Amino acid sequence: MYYFKLLWRCLPIGKKDIQINEEIRDKELRVIGSDGQQLGIMSAKDALNLAEQKNLDLVKIAPQSTPPVCKIMDYGKYRFEQAKREKEARKNQHIVDIKEVRLSLNIDTHDFNTKLNNALKFIKHGDKVKVSIRFRGREMGHPEIGLETMKRFAEACSEVAVIEKPAKLEGRNMLMFLAPKFNK
């Protein structure tokens, strides 16, 4: 009966490198009760008996200290609450995407405004924007025109965005990164 009870309490619980109950092989342990009260230093056998009397688990929480610190707790409930906290943290985080807007060296006014409106929409949504210009053929001889186009684009976005990485020529591409401005 005892073996079945031990199996029932320990096997279904997913463990993460934490020693519980019989897995703890140290001779002496500093034990903390289920209410957070220090119970003192005792042998692993005594601590395990104390945990079994309260129908709880003995969990090693600080293995590197001397002597190791163990706590008497309901390990299944602890893992459930920890998983719940992790899930809540994942739910509250916002993943920032990088959207790309491609300009050309000799872009016309209407095309420029269309690309600008798309970039503003992305930035207002909270995404970063990668602005790129690809130089083709003889256009490589005039990178200053591309730099001027990038400056004009950054000035047009200056109300809602900040330049995260200024325009830089990398091979045949000129890249610039814009990030949303957050009002705090």
Side-chain angles (χ1 to χ4, degrees):
M1 182 63 187
Y2 170 74
Y3 185 70
F4 176 74
K5 182 179 164 190
L6 175 74
L7 256 163
W8 182 80
R9 286 187 65 80
C10 298
L11 280 184
I13 302 169
K15 294 183 284 190
K16 288 186 174 179
D17 303 326
I18 295 176
Q19 294 179 348
I20 60 171
N21 297 335
E22 279 78 21
E23 295 174 0
I24 301 170
R25 298 275 182 221
D26 299 300
K27 291 181 181 177
E28 286 189 334
L29 304 171
R30 183 177 303 275
V31 182
I32 301 172
S34 58
D35 54 354
Q37 180 183 351
Q38 293 271 350
L39 300 179
I41 297 174
M42 58 179 75
S43 69
K45 188 177 179 182
D46 294 339
L48 190 58
N49 287 336
L50 194 63
E52 286 174 359
Q53 286 173 4
K54 296 182 179 180
N55 202 21
L56 296 172
D57 298 310
L58 183 66
V59 182
K60 189 187 279 190
I61 57 174
Q64 68 280 2
S65 63
T66 309
V69 179
C70 293
K71 186 172 183 180
I72 297 173
M73 67 169 84
D74 185 353
Y75 187 67
K77 184 177 178 183
Y78 168 75
R79 288 290 297 139
F80 173 75
E81 289 172 354
Q82 196 175 28
K84 197 172 170 182
R85 281 194 301 271
E86 288 173 3
K87 185 178 177 184
E88 190 69 29
R90 277 195 306 272
K91 190 172 88 173
N92 289 336
Q93 75 182 10
H94 176 69
I95 299 168
V96 177
D97 291 329
I98 297 178
K99 305 284 187 174
E100 184 173 1
V101 175
R102 282 192 165 176
L103 305 175
S104 61
L105 193 63
N106 46 4
I107 191 165
D108 203 19
T109 313
H110 181 69
D111 294 337
F112 182 84
N113 290 336
T114 304
K115 303 277 185 175
L116 179 67
N117 288 337
N118 285 337
L120 291 174
K121 184 172 64 175
F122 295 147
I123 290 168
K124 286 178 183 169
H125 186 262
D127 298 327
K128 293 182 181 180
V129 175
K130 173 182 171 183
V131 185
S132 65
I133 295 178
R134 181 163 175 89
F135 292 93
R136 298 186 311 261
R138 293 183 184 172
E139 294 175 352
M140 280 298 295
H142 301 285
E144 67 278 354
I145 299 172
L147 191 61
E148 193 61 42
T149 306
M150 288 283 203
K151 284 182 182 175
R152 196 165 49 126
F153 195 85
E155 286 172 12
C157 293
S158 64
E159 286 184 24
V160 293
V162 63
I163 298 174
E164 188 176 67
K165 188 175 173 187
K168 183 180 175 188
L169 189 63
E170 296 176 2
R172 291 193 162 270
N173 295 318
M174 185 175 282
L175 302 174
M176 175 175 67
F177 287 89
L178 301 173
K181 248 187 218 179
F182 291 110
N183 298 332
K184 293 181 180 177

